[in-house]
Each structure stands twice: as structure tokens, then as C-alpha cells.
Coordinates of all heavy atoms in Angstrom, one line a residue:
M9 N -72.6 -39.4 -0.1 CA -72.9 -38.7 1.1 C -73.0 -39.7 2.3 O -73.6 -40.7 2.2 CB -74.2 -37.9 1.0 CG -74.4 -36.9 2.1 SD -75.8 -35.8 1.7 CE -77.1 -36.6 2.6
S10 N -72.2 -39.4 3.3 CA -72.2 -40.3 4.5 C -73.4 -40.0 5.4 O -73.9 -38.9 5.5 CB -70.9 -40.2 5.2 OG -70.9 -38.9 5.8
C11 N -73.8 -41.1 6.1 CA -75.0 -41.0 7.0 C -74.4 -40.8 8.4 O -73.7 -41.7 8.9 CB -75.8 -42.2 6.9 SG -77.1 -42.4 8.1
P12 N -74.8 -39.8 9.2 CA -74.3 -39.6 10.5 C -74.8 -40.7 11.5 O -74.1 -41.0 12.5 CB -74.9 -38.2 10.9 CG -76.1 -38.0 10.1 CD -75.8 -38.7 8.8
Y13 N -75.9 -41.3 11.2 CA -76.5 -42.3 12.2 C -75.8 -43.6 12.0 O -75.9 -44.5 12.9 CB -78.0 -42.4 12.0 CG -78.7 -41.1 12.1 CD1 -79.5 -40.6 11.1 CD2 -78.6 -40.3 13.3 CE1 -80.1 -39.3 11.2 CE2 -79.2 -39.1 13.4 CZ -80.0 -38.6 12.4 OH -80.6 -37.4 12.5
C14 N -75.2 -43.9 10.9 CA -74.5 -45.2 10.6 C -73.1 -45.2 11.2 O -72.4 -46.1 11.0 CB -74.6 -45.5 9.1 SG -76.2 -46.0 8.6
N15 N -72.7 -44.1 11.8 CA -71.4 -44.0 12.4 C -71.3 -44.8 13.7 O -72.1 -44.5 14.6 CB -71.1 -42.5 12.7 CG -69.7 -42.3 13.3 OD1 -69.2 -43.2 13.9 ND2 -69.2 -41.1 13.1
P16 N -70.4 -45.8 13.9 CA -70.4 -46.6 15.1 C -70.2 -45.7 16.4 O -70.7 -46.0 17.4 CB -69.2 -47.5 14.9 CG -69.1 -47.6 13.4 CD -69.5 -46.3 12.9
E17 N -69.4 -44.6 16.2 CA -69.3 -43.7 17.4 C -70.6 -43.1 17.8 O -70.8 -42.9 19.0 CB -68.3 -42.6 17.0 CG -66.8 -43.0 17.0 CD -65.9 -41.9 16.7 OE1 -66.2 -40.7 17.0 OE2 -64.8 -42.2 16.2
Y18 N -71.4 -42.7 16.9 CA -72.7 -42.2 17.2 C -73.6 -43.3 17.8 O -74.2 -43.0 18.9 CB -73.4 -41.7 15.9 CG -74.8 -41.0 16.2 CD1 -74.8 -39.6 16.4 CD2 -75.9 -41.7 16.3 CE1 -76.0 -39.0 16.6 CE2 -77.1 -41.1 16.5 CZ -77.2 -39.8 16.7 OH -78.4 -39.2 17.0
Q19 N -73.6 -44.5 17.3 CA -74.4 -45.6 17.8 C -74.0 -46.0 19.2 O -74.8 -46.6 19.9 CB -74.4 -46.7 16.8 CG -75.0 -46.4 15.4 CD -74.8 -47.5 14.4 OE1 -74.2 -48.5 14.7 NE2 -75.3 -47.3 13.2
D20 N -72.7 -45.8 19.5 CA -72.3 -46.3 20.9 C -72.1 -45.1 21.8 O -71.6 -45.3 22.9 CB -70.9 -47.0 20.7 CG -71.1 -48.3 20.0 OD1 -72.1 -48.9 20.1 OD2 -70.1 -48.7 19.4
S21 N -72.6 -43.9 21.4 CA -72.3 -42.7 22.3 C -73.2 -42.8 23.6 O -74.2 -43.6 23.6 CB -72.6 -41.5 21.5 OG -74.0 -41.2 21.4
D22 N -72.9 -42.0 24.5 CA -73.6 -41.9 25.8 C -75.0 -41.4 25.6 O -75.9 -41.5 26.4 CB -72.9 -41.0 26.8 CG -71.6 -41.7 27.2 OD1 -71.4 -42.9 27.1 OD2 -70.8 -40.9 27.8
R23 N -75.3 -40.8 24.4 CA -76.6 -40.2 24.1 C -77.6 -41.2 23.8 O -78.8 -41.0 23.9 CB -76.5 -39.2 22.9 CG -75.5 -38.0 23.2 CD -75.5 -37.1 22.1 NE -76.8 -36.6 21.8 CZ -77.4 -36.7 20.6 NH1 -76.8 -37.2 19.6 NH2 -78.6 -36.2 20.4
I24 N -77.2 -42.4 23.5 CA -78.1 -43.5 23.2 C -78.7 -44.0 24.5 O -78.0 -44.5 25.4 CB -77.4 -44.6 22.4 CG1 -76.7 -44.1 21.2 CG2 -78.5 -45.7 22.1 CD1 -77.6 -43.3 20.2
V25 N -80.1 -43.9 24.6 CA -80.7 -44.3 25.8 C -81.5 -45.6 25.7 O -81.8 -46.2 26.8 CB -81.7 -43.2 26.3 CG1 -80.9 -41.9 26.7 CG2 -82.7 -42.9 25.2
L26 N -81.7 -46.1 24.5 CA -82.4 -47.4 24.3 C -81.7 -48.1 23.1 O -81.4 -47.4 22.1 CB -83.9 -47.3 24.1 CG -84.7 -46.8 25.3 CD1 -86.1 -46.4 24.8 CD2 -84.7 -47.8 26.4
K27 N -81.7 -49.4 23.2 CA -81.2 -50.2 22.0 C -81.9 -51.5 22.0 O -82.3 -52.1 23.1 CB -79.7 -50.5 22.2 CG -78.7 -49.5 21.7 CD -77.3 -50.0 21.8 CE -76.3 -48.9 21.4 NZ -74.9 -49.4 21.5
N28 N -82.1 -52.1 20.8 CA -82.3 -53.5 20.7 C -81.6 -54.0 19.5 O -80.6 -53.4 19.0 CB -83.9 -53.8 20.7 CG -84.6 -53.3 19.4 OD1 -84.0 -53.1 18.4 ND2 -85.8 -53.0 19.6
E29 N -81.9 -55.2 19.0 CA -81.1 -55.8 18.0 C -81.0 -55.0 16.7 O -80.0 -55.0 16.0 CB -81.6 -57.2 17.7 CG -80.8 -58.0 16.6 CD -81.4 -59.4 16.4 OE1 -82.4 -59.8 17.0 OE2 -80.9 -60.1 15.6
Y30 N -82.1 -54.3 16.4 CA -82.3 -53.6 15.1 C -82.3 -52.0 15.2 O -82.1 -51.4 14.2 CB -83.5 -54.0 14.4 CG -83.5 -55.5 14.0 CD1 -84.2 -56.4 14.7 CD2 -82.8 -55.9 12.8 CE1 -84.1 -57.8 14.3 CE2 -82.8 -57.2 12.4 CZ -83.5 -58.1 13.2 OH -83.4 -59.5 12.8
W31 N -82.5 -51.5 16.5 CA -82.8 -50.1 16.6 C -82.1 -49.5 17.8 O -81.8 -50.2 18.7 CB -84.4 -49.9 16.9 CG -85.2 -50.4 15.7 CD1 -85.7 -51.7 15.6 CD2 -85.6 -49.7 14.6 NE1 -86.4 -51.8 14.4 CE2 -86.3 -50.6 13.8 CE3 -85.4 -48.4 14.2 CZ2 -86.9 -50.1 12.5 CZ3 -86.0 -48.0 13.0 CH2 -86.7 -48.9 12.2
F32 N -81.9 -48.2 17.7 CA -81.4 -47.4 18.9 C -82.1 -46.1 18.9 O -82.7 -45.7 17.9 CB -79.9 -47.3 18.8 CG -79.3 -46.5 17.6 CD1 -79.0 -45.2 17.7 CD2 -79.1 -47.2 16.4 CE1 -78.5 -44.5 16.6 CE2 -78.6 -46.5 15.3 CZ -78.3 -45.2 15.4
A33 N -82.1 -45.5 20.1 CA -82.9 -44.3 20.3 C -82.2 -43.3 21.2 O -81.4 -43.7 22.1 CB -84.3 -44.6 20.9
N34 N -82.4 -42.0 20.9 CA -81.9 -41.0 21.8 C -82.8 -39.8 21.7 O -83.8 -39.7 20.9 CB -80.5 -40.5 21.4 CG -80.4 -39.9 20.0 OD1 -81.3 -39.6 19.4 ND2 -79.1 -39.8 19.5
F35 N -82.6 -38.9 22.7 CA -83.4 -37.7 22.7 C -82.9 -36.7 21.6 O -81.7 -36.6 21.5 CB -83.4 -37.0 24.1 CG -84.2 -37.8 25.1 CD1 -83.6 -38.7 25.9 CD2 -85.6 -37.6 25.1 CE1 -84.4 -39.4 26.9 CE2 -86.4 -38.3 26.0 CZ -85.8 -39.2 26.9
D36 N -83.8 -36.1 20.9 CA -83.4 -35.2 19.8 C -82.7 -33.9 20.4 O -83.1 -33.4 21.4 CB -84.6 -34.8 19.0 CG -84.2 -34.2 17.7 OD1 -83.9 -33.0 17.7 OD2 -84.3 -34.9 16.7
N37 N -81.6 -33.5 19.7 CA -80.9 -32.2 20.2 C -81.8 -31.0 20.0 O -81.5 -30.0 20.6 CB -79.6 -32.1 19.4 CG -78.5 -32.9 20.0 OD1 -78.6 -33.4 21.1 ND2 -77.4 -33.0 19.2
H38 N -82.7 -31.1 19.1 CA -83.6 -29.9 18.7 C -85.0 -30.4 18.8 O -85.7 -30.5 17.8 CB -83.2 -29.3 17.4 CG -81.7 -29.0 17.2 ND1 -81.2 -27.9 17.8 CD2 -80.8 -29.7 16.6 CE1 -79.9 -27.9 17.5 NE2 -79.6 -29.0 16.8
P39 N -85.5 -30.6 20.0 CA -86.8 -31.2 20.2 C -87.9 -30.3 19.7 O -87.9 -29.1 20.0 CB -86.9 -31.5 21.7 CG -85.9 -30.6 22.3 CD -84.8 -30.4 21.3
V40 N -88.9 -30.8 19.0 CA -90.0 -30.1 18.5 C -91.1 -30.1 19.6 O -92.1 -29.3 19.5 CB -90.6 -30.5 17.2 CG1 -89.6 -30.3 16.1 CG2 -91.0 -32.0 17.2
S41 N -91.0 -31.0 20.5 CA -91.9 -31.1 21.7 C -91.1 -31.8 22.8 O -90.1 -32.4 22.6 CB -93.2 -31.9 21.3 OG -92.8 -33.2 21.0
K42 N -91.7 -31.7 24.0 CA -91.0 -32.2 25.2 C -90.9 -33.8 25.0 O -92.0 -34.4 24.8 CB -91.8 -31.9 26.5 CG -91.1 -32.2 27.8 CD -91.8 -31.7 29.0 CE -91.1 -32.1 30.2 NZ -91.8 -31.6 31.4
G43 N -89.7 -34.3 25.2 CA -89.6 -35.8 25.1 C -89.4 -36.3 23.7 O -89.3 -37.5 23.5
H44 N -89.2 -35.4 22.7 CA -89.0 -35.8 21.3 C -87.7 -36.7 21.2 O -86.6 -36.3 21.6 CB -88.7 -34.5 20.5 CG -88.4 -34.8 19.1 ND1 -88.0 -33.8 18.2 CD2 -88.5 -35.9 18.3 CE1 -87.8 -34.3 17.0 NE2 -88.1 -35.5 17.0
M45 N -88.0 -37.9 20.7 CA -86.9 -38.9 20.6 C -86.7 -39.3 19.1 O -87.7 -39.2 18.4 CB -87.2 -40.1 21.4 CG -87.1 -39.9 22.9 SD -87.4 -41.5 23.8 CE -85.7 -42.2 23.6
K46 N -85.5 -39.7 18.8 CA -85.2 -40.3 17.5 C -85.1 -41.8 17.6 O -84.3 -42.2 18.5 CB -84.0 -39.7 16.9 CG -84.1 -38.2 16.5 CD -82.8 -37.8 15.7 CE -81.7 -37.7 16.7 NZ -80.5 -36.9 16.2
I47 N -85.7 -42.6 16.8 CA -85.5 -44.0 16.8 C -85.0 -44.4 15.5 O -85.6 -44.1 14.4 CB -86.9 -44.7 17.1 CG1 -87.4 -44.3 18.5 CG2 -86.7 -46.2 17.0 CD1 -88.8 -44.9 18.8
I48 N -83.8 -45.0 15.5 CA -83.0 -45.1 14.3 C -82.6 -46.6 14.0 O -82.2 -47.2 15.0 CB -81.7 -44.2 14.4 CG1 -82.1 -42.8 14.7 CG2 -80.8 -44.3 13.2 CD1 -80.9 -42.0 15.3
P49 N -82.7 -47.0 12.8 CA -82.3 -48.4 12.6 C -80.8 -48.6 12.5 O -80.1 -47.6 12.0 CB -83.0 -48.7 11.2 CG -83.1 -47.4 10.6 CD -83.3 -46.4 11.6
F50 N -80.3 -49.7 12.9 CA -78.8 -49.9 12.7 C -78.5 -50.1 11.3 O -77.5 -49.8 10.8 CB -78.4 -51.2 13.5 CG -78.2 -50.9 15.0 CD1 -79.1 -51.4 15.9 CD2 -77.1 -50.1 15.4 CE1 -78.9 -51.1 17.3 CE2 -76.9 -49.9 16.8 CZ -77.8 -50.4 17.7
R51 N -79.5 -50.7 10.5 CA -79.3 -50.9 9.1 C -79.8 -49.7 8.4 O -80.9 -49.3 8.5 CB -80.1 -52.2 8.7 CG -79.9 -52.5 7.2 CD -80.6 -53.8 6.9 NE -82.1 -53.6 6.8 CZ -82.8 -53.2 5.8 NH1 -82.1 -52.8 4.7 NH2 -84.1 -53.0 5.9
H52 N -78.9 -49.1 7.6 CA -79.3 -47.9 6.9 C -80.4 -48.1 5.9 O -80.3 -49.0 5.0 CB -78.1 -47.3 6.2 CG -78.5 -46.0 5.5 ND1 -78.3 -44.8 6.1 CD2 -79.0 -45.7 4.3 CE1 -78.7 -43.8 5.3 NE2 -79.2 -44.4 4.2
V53 N -81.5 -47.4 6.0 CA -82.5 -47.4 4.9 C -82.9 -45.9 4.7 O -82.8 -45.1 5.6 CB -83.8 -48.1 5.4 CG1 -83.5 -49.6 5.5 CG2 -84.4 -47.6 6.7
A54 N -83.2 -45.6 3.5 CA -83.6 -44.2 3.1 C -85.1 -44.0 3.4 O -85.5 -42.8 3.6 CB -83.3 -44.0 1.6
M55 N -85.9 -45.0 3.3 CA -87.3 -44.9 3.5 C -87.9 -46.0 4.4 O -87.4 -47.1 4.4 CB -88.0 -44.9 2.1 CG -87.6 -43.8 1.2 SD -88.4 -43.9 -0.4 CE -90.1 -43.6 0.1
F56 N -88.9 -45.6 5.1 CA -89.6 -46.6 5.9 C -90.0 -47.9 5.2 O -89.9 -49.0 5.7 CB -90.9 -45.9 6.5 CG -91.6 -46.8 7.6 CD1 -91.1 -46.8 8.9 CD2 -92.7 -47.5 7.2 CE1 -91.8 -47.5 9.8 CE2 -93.3 -48.3 8.1 CZ -92.9 -48.3 9.5
T57 N -90.4 -47.7 3.9 CA -90.8 -48.9 3.2 C -89.7 -49.9 2.8 O -90.0 -51.0 2.4 CB -91.5 -48.4 1.8 OG1 -90.5 -47.5 1.2 CG2 -92.8 -47.6 2.1
E58 N -88.5 -49.5 3.1 CA -87.3 -50.4 2.9 C -87.1 -51.3 4.0 O -86.2 -52.2 4.0 CB -86.1 -49.6 2.6 CG -86.1 -48.8 1.3 CD -84.9 -47.8 1.1 OE1 -83.9 -48.0 1.8 OE2 -85.1 -46.9 0.3
L59 N -87.8 -51.1 5.2 CA -87.6 -51.9 6.3 C -88.0 -53.4 6.0 O -89.0 -53.6 5.3 CB -88.4 -51.4 7.5 CG -87.9 -50.0 8.0 CD1 -88.8 -49.5 9.1 CD2 -86.5 -50.2 8.6
M60 N -87.3 -54.3 6.6 CA -87.7 -55.7 6.5 C -88.7 -56.1 7.6 O -88.8 -55.5 8.6 CB -86.4 -56.6 6.7 CG -85.3 -56.3 5.6 SD -83.9 -57.4 5.8 CE -83.3 -57.0 7.4
D61 N -89.5 -57.1 7.3 CA -90.5 -57.6 8.2 C -89.9 -57.8 9.6 O -90.6 -57.4 10.6 CB -91.2 -58.8 7.7 CG -92.1 -58.6 6.5 OD1 -92.3 -57.4 6.2 OD2 -92.5 -59.6 5.9
E62 N -88.8 -58.4 9.7 CA -88.2 -58.7 11.0 C -87.8 -57.5 11.8 O -87.5 -57.6 13.0 CB -87.1 -59.8 10.9 CG -85.9 -59.3 10.1 CD -85.9 -59.8 8.7 OE1 -87.0 -60.0 8.1 OE2 -84.9 -60.1 8.2
E63 N -87.7 -56.4 11.2 CA -87.4 -55.1 11.9 C -88.6 -54.4 12.5 O -88.4 -53.5 13.3 CB -86.6 -54.2 10.9 CG -85.3 -54.7 10.5 CD -84.7 -53.9 9.3 OE1 -85.4 -53.6 8.3 OE2 -83.5 -53.6 9.5
L64 N -89.8 -54.8 12.0 CA -91.0 -54.1 12.4 C -91.4 -54.3 13.9 O -91.7 -53.4 14.6 CB -92.1 -54.4 11.5 CG -91.8 -53.9 10.0 CD1 -92.9 -54.3 9.1 CD2 -91.4 -52.5 9.9
I65 N -91.4 -55.6 14.3 CA -91.8 -55.9 15.7 C -90.8 -55.2 16.7 O -91.2 -54.6 17.7 CB -92.0 -57.4 15.9 CG1 -93.2 -57.8 15.2 CG2 -92.1 -57.7 17.4 CD1 -93.4 -59.3 15.2
P66 N -89.5 -55.3 16.5 CA -88.5 -54.6 17.3 C -88.7 -53.1 17.3 O -88.4 -52.4 18.3 CB -87.1 -55.0 16.8 CG -87.4 -56.4 16.2 CD -88.7 -56.3 15.6
L67 N -89.2 -52.6 16.2 CA -89.5 -51.1 16.1 C -90.6 -50.8 17.1 O -90.5 -49.8 17.9 CB -89.9 -50.7 14.7 CG -90.4 -49.3 14.6 CD1 -89.3 -48.3 15.0 CD2 -90.8 -49.0 13.1
V68 N -91.7 -51.6 17.1 CA -92.8 -51.3 18.0 C -92.3 -51.5 19.4 O -92.7 -50.7 20.3 CB -94.0 -52.3 17.7 CG1 -95.1 -52.1 18.7 CG2 -94.5 -52.0 16.3
S69 N -91.5 -52.4 19.7 CA -90.9 -52.7 21.0 C -90.1 -51.4 21.5 O -90.4 -51.0 22.6 CB -90.0 -53.9 21.0 OG -89.4 -54.1 22.3
I70 N -89.2 -50.9 20.7 CA -88.4 -49.8 21.1 C -89.3 -48.5 21.2 O -89.1 -47.6 22.1 CB -87.2 -49.6 20.3 CG1 -86.2 -48.7 21.0 CG2 -87.5 -49.0 18.9 CD1 -84.8 -48.7 20.4
M71 N -90.3 -48.4 20.4 CA -91.3 -47.3 20.5 C -92.0 -47.4 21.9 O -92.1 -46.3 22.5 CB -92.3 -47.4 19.4 CG -91.7 -47.0 18.0 SD -92.9 -47.3 16.6 CE -94.2 -46.2 17.0
N72 N -92.4 -48.6 22.3 CA -93.1 -48.7 23.6 C -92.2 -48.4 24.7 O -92.5 -47.7 25.7 CB -93.7 -50.1 23.7 CG -95.0 -50.3 23.0 OD1 -95.7 -49.3 22.8 ND2 -95.2 -51.5 22.6
N73 N -90.9 -48.8 24.6 CA -89.9 -48.5 25.7 C -89.6 -47.1 25.7 O -89.4 -46.5 26.8 CB -88.7 -49.4 25.5 CG -88.9 -50.8 25.8 OD1 -89.8 -51.2 26.6 ND2 -88.1 -51.7 25.2
S74 N -89.6 -46.4 24.5 CA -89.3 -45.0 24.5 C -90.5 -44.2 25.2 O -90.3 -43.3 25.9 CB -89.2 -44.5 23.0 OG -88.1 -45.1 22.4
K75 N -91.7 -44.7 24.9 CA -92.9 -44.0 25.5 C -92.8 -44.1 27.1 O -93.0 -43.2 27.8 CB -94.1 -44.7 25.0 CG -95.4 -44.1 25.6 CD -96.6 -44.8 25.0 CE -96.8 -46.2 25.5 NZ -98.0 -46.8 25.0
K76 N -92.4 -45.3 27.6 CA -92.2 -45.5 29.0 C -91.1 -44.6 29.6 O -91.3 -44.0 30.6 CB -91.8 -47.0 29.3 CG -93.0 -47.9 29.1 CD -92.5 -49.4 29.3 CE -93.5 -50.3 28.8 NZ -93.0 -51.7 28.8
L77 N -90.0 -44.5 28.8 CA -88.9 -43.6 29.3 C -89.3 -42.1 29.3 O -89.0 -41.4 30.3 CB -87.7 -43.8 28.3 CG -86.4 -43.1 28.7 CD1 -85.9 -43.8 30.0 CD2 -85.4 -43.3 27.6
I78 N -90.1 -41.7 28.3 CA -90.5 -40.3 28.3 C -91.5 -40.0 29.5 O -91.4 -38.9 30.1 CB -91.2 -40.0 27.0 CG1 -90.2 -40.0 25.8 CG2 -92.0 -38.7 27.0 CD1 -90.8 -40.0 24.4
K79 N -92.3 -41.0 29.8 CA -93.3 -40.8 30.9 C -92.5 -40.7 32.2 O -92.8 -40.1 33.2 CB -94.3 -41.9 31.0 CG -95.3 -41.7 29.9 CD -96.4 -42.8 30.1 CE -97.5 -42.6 29.0 NZ -98.6 -43.5 29.2
Ligands
ZN18 ZN1 -77.6 -44.5 7.9

């Protein structure tokens, strides 16, 4: 089964509002609340526990930047 988020066209689309070395983010098409964003790793993982240590600080960074964008 292919992953829609690992598609380079998706990762480079105009819908992506934030990026860093390991992560990209966009607003969800079906938001469950105002400002609902998806933060997605460039490296495919099935579970959060598969993330590498070096991906975690950039995750917090893009989360903080997403929070600023939403505000
Ligand atoms: Zn993927």
C-alpha cells in the first residue's frame, strides 16, 4: 500500500505551509477544530515510536512554528 504523504508532489505542493529538514506541515482538509494542522515526517514511519532521536527536536520546532502560524 502506498503512502500519500511520501509522494514528492504532496510534499512540494502549495498546501505545505511549514517545512524543516525532517518535517512538513499543512492545514487539514477536514479539520476537527479551527487551525487543525497535520505535521508529517519526510521519512515514512508507521508509528511515533519509530522516530529517531534527531527527528524529535525538529518536531518540537515545527510544532512551535505551527502554533505561531495558527495564532
Ligand atoms: Zn509515508
Side-chain angles (χ1 to χ4, degrees):
M9 192 168 95
S10 66
C11 173
Y13 304 122
C14 289
N15 181 337
E17 285 183 26
Y18 185 93
Q19 295 174 358
D20 291 331
S21 78
D22 293 342
R23 298 183 57 237
I24 305 306
V25 293
L26 292 171
K27 274 186 185 180
N28 64 28
E29 185 178 358
Y30 295 100
W31 299 89
F32 59 101
N34 63 14
F35 286 98
D36 196 281
N37 277 347
H38 307 285
V40 295
S41 63
K42 189 174 182 182
H44 177 192
M45 294 184 76
K46 290 186 291 195
I47 298 174
I48 304 161
F50 281 108
R51 184 177 70 84
H52 182 93
V53 292
M55 298 180 64
F56 186 83
T57 53
E58 295 173 15
L59 292 172
M60 299 183 299
D61 288 348
E62 60 262 37
E63 292 170 314
L64 299 178
I65 290 174
L67 172 59
V68 173
S69 175
I70 199 167
M71 287 170 66
N72 281 332
N73 289 334
S74 297
K75 182 176 73 176
K76 291 175 191 169
L77 189 65
I78 291 167
K79 285 186 176 182

